[in-house]
Amino acid sequence: ECVAILNNDTEVDKKWLSESTKVITMDDKIATVGSKVLFKDGRIQSTGQSEFPYHYWGDRGLSEPDVQQYDKIQPVPSISNCSALYRREALNDVGFFDEDFNMYMEDVDICLRLRNKNWKIFYAPDSKVYHRLHGSGQDPKERTFYIERNRLLFIAKHFPEELAANIAGYGEISKLSSERFHELLIAVFNKLIKHQGLDKAQKIFLTLNQDIRKIFNYSKHILQNEKDKELNNAIKAKDGYISEKEKQLADSTA
């Protein structure tokens, strides 16, 4: 009747599953229940997810000490798939995870689809797991790419008219390499076609041209700044080395 999702780099409390089951059976309209996800040192990683500006999402309570401030069973807009229990009936109703996301935002996407069909999302504080965050050792640049790409895939799927206003986000997209940036744009265009149709996808993408150009120009600006910093650091290091050699020569001649 239920399907449990659990990351492979976790350790579970002995009541992990029973507490999630207890909450999901409180109401036939509860579609999914998220656990309290903790770091190994006991700090909070997630007690559900909250929406930020530009359609970013983050874990509620991230890095806070766990002092029972999130110990209430309650509805939340989204839960982390690090540890979640889903009602099979609800999955059959809205469909399974959207595999276009690959990693990140697939939990936010399915929770939105569930809420749109009047299913409920709950958090179970006594269902606890301990998680080694990014335990797979993912490269930070790769992680940034997938976060930015999937945020835009989410917008393209659910809020296509908001793409132009949100494409730049917090600016992290400008730090992508040109190859990754073009890969991201292709993925977004394909997502628009898949969910909005070709005609609407082309119209929406035309409105993004100016914003894409601005992001690309800013990306070149950031890259040049980084090169300038590296050059200045190299010059300073060389100057320091020469000065030290000169000082030694002066000391020896004295």
Side-chain angles (χ1 to χ4, degrees), residues 130-229:
Y130 295 86
H131 183 212
R132 181 185 170 196
L133 183 61
H134 312 313
S136 59
Q138 186 184 26
D139 179 82
K141 290 184 179 180
E142 183 183 25
R143 180 170 179 267
T144 297
F145 168 74
Y146 279 109
I147 288 173
E148 290 300 321
R149 188 199 72 156
N150 290 0
R151 176 181 70 90
L152 296 178
L153 293 185
F154 178 78
I155 300 172
K157 180 177 180 178
H158 297 288
F159 310 101
E161 291 80 8
E162 299 181 24
L163 263 176
N166 291 277
I167 187 170
Y170 294 137
E172 292 300 309
I173 192 173
S174 300
K175 299 176 184 178
L176 299 176
S177 67
S178 58
E179 293 82 5
R180 281 299 213 182
F181 185 59
H182 285 108
E183 182 182 345
L184 177 149
L185 292 178
I186 291 169
V188 172
F189 186 62
N190 288 335
K191 195 67 171 171
L192 282 169
I193 294 173
K194 185 174 183 178
H195 293 280
Q196 316 303 334
L198 179 59
D199 289 344
K200 188 172 182 180
Q202 290 176 330
K203 289 177 182 177
I204 291 171
F205 229 71
L206 283 174
T207 67
L208 298 179
N209 279 340
Q210 187 175 0
D211 299 280
I212 291 170
R213 195 176 303 114
K214 288 178 182 177
I215 292 170
F216 187 70
N217 290 338
Y218 186 50
S219 179
K220 290 197 297 183
H221 175 74
I222 290 174
L223 181 61
Q224 188 58 51
N225 277 347
E226 290 177 350
K227 288 181 179 179
D228 289 344
K229 286 179 183 179

Side-chain angles (χ1 to χ4, degrees), residues 21-254:
T21 304
K22 182 173 74 175
V23 174
I24 206 169
T25 54
M26 292 189 325
D27 184 337
D28 289 343
K29 289 304 292 180
I30 296 178
T32 183
V33 173
S35 302
K36 177 188 280 188
V37 185
L38 301 167
F39 293 116
K40 291 286 188 176
D41 62 6
R43 290 177 301 120
I44 293 169
Q45 183 196 324
S46 183
T47 61
Q49 296 174 322
S50 302
E51 186 175 8
F52 298 156
Y54 307 114
H55 292 283
Y56 288 95
W57 284 73
D59 292 302
R60 187 177 66 157
L62 180 65
S63 293
E64 294 179 18
D66 182 19
V67 289
Q68 290 76 54
Q69 71 272 43
Y70 300 105
D71 273 11
K72 181 181 179 182
I73 296 172
Q74 59 187 177
V76 290
S78 179
I79 48 89
S80 169
N81 269 345
C82 177
S83 173
L85 187 67
Y86 286 87
R87 188 184 298 271
R88 184 179 292 275
E89 179 188 351
L91 292 176
N92 289 337
D93 184 28
V94 304
F96 296 163
F97 298 141
D98 184 338
E99 294 185 10
D100 289 342
F101 290 106
N102 189 28
M103 65 182 83
Y104 307 124
M105 291 294 286
E106 85 291 339
D107 38 20
V108 176
D109 168 73
I110 198 168
C111 283
L112 176 60
R113 287 188 277 130
L114 287 164
R115 287 189 283 113
N116 285 343
K117 285 204 168 186
N118 297 315
W119 287 97
K120 299 175 183 178
I121 318 296
F122 263 73
Y123 159 67
D126 291 327
S127 170
K128 298 178 183 179
V129 302
Y130 295 86
H131 183 212
R132 181 185 170 196
L133 183 61
H134 312 313
S136 59
Q138 186 184 26
D139 179 82
K141 290 184 179 180
E142 183 183 25
R143 180 170 179 267
T144 297
F145 168 74
Y146 279 109
I147 288 173
E148 290 300 321
R149 188 199 72 156
N150 290 0
R151 176 181 70 90
L152 296 178
L153 293 185
F154 178 78
I155 300 172
K157 180 177 180 178
H158 297 288
F159 310 101
E161 291 80 8
E162 299 181 24
L163 263 176
N166 291 277
I167 187 170
Y170 294 137
E172 292 300 309
I173 192 173
S174 300
K175 299 176 184 178
L176 299 176
S177 67
S178 58
E179 293 82 5
R180 281 299 213 182
F181 185 59
H182 285 108
E183 182 182 345
L184 177 149
L185 292 178
I186 291 169
V188 172
F189 186 62
N190 288 335
K191 195 67 171 171
L192 282 169
I193 294 173
K194 185 174 183 178
H195 293 280
Q196 316 303 334
L198 179 59
D199 289 344
K200 188 172 182 180
Q202 290 176 330
K203 289 177 182 177
I204 291 171
F205 229 71
L206 283 174
T207 67
L208 298 179
N209 279 340
Q210 187 175 0
D211 299 280
I212 291 170
R213 195 176 303 114
K214 288 178 182 177
I215 292 170
F216 187 70
N217 290 338
Y218 186 50
S219 179
K220 290 197 297 183
H221 175 74
I222 290 174
L223 181 61
Q224 188 58 51
N225 277 347
E226 290 177 350
K227 288 181 179 179
D228 289 344
K229 286 179 183 179
E230 289 176 2
L231 180 60
N232 287 334
N233 289 337
I235 291 172
K236 288 178 181 178
K238 185 178 179 182
D239 286 346
Y241 175 74
I242 292 172
S243 298
E244 184 63 29
K245 295 292 283 186
E246 290 174 343
K247 181 176 181 297
Q248 290 175 1
L249 180 62
D251 289 342
S252 64
T253 55

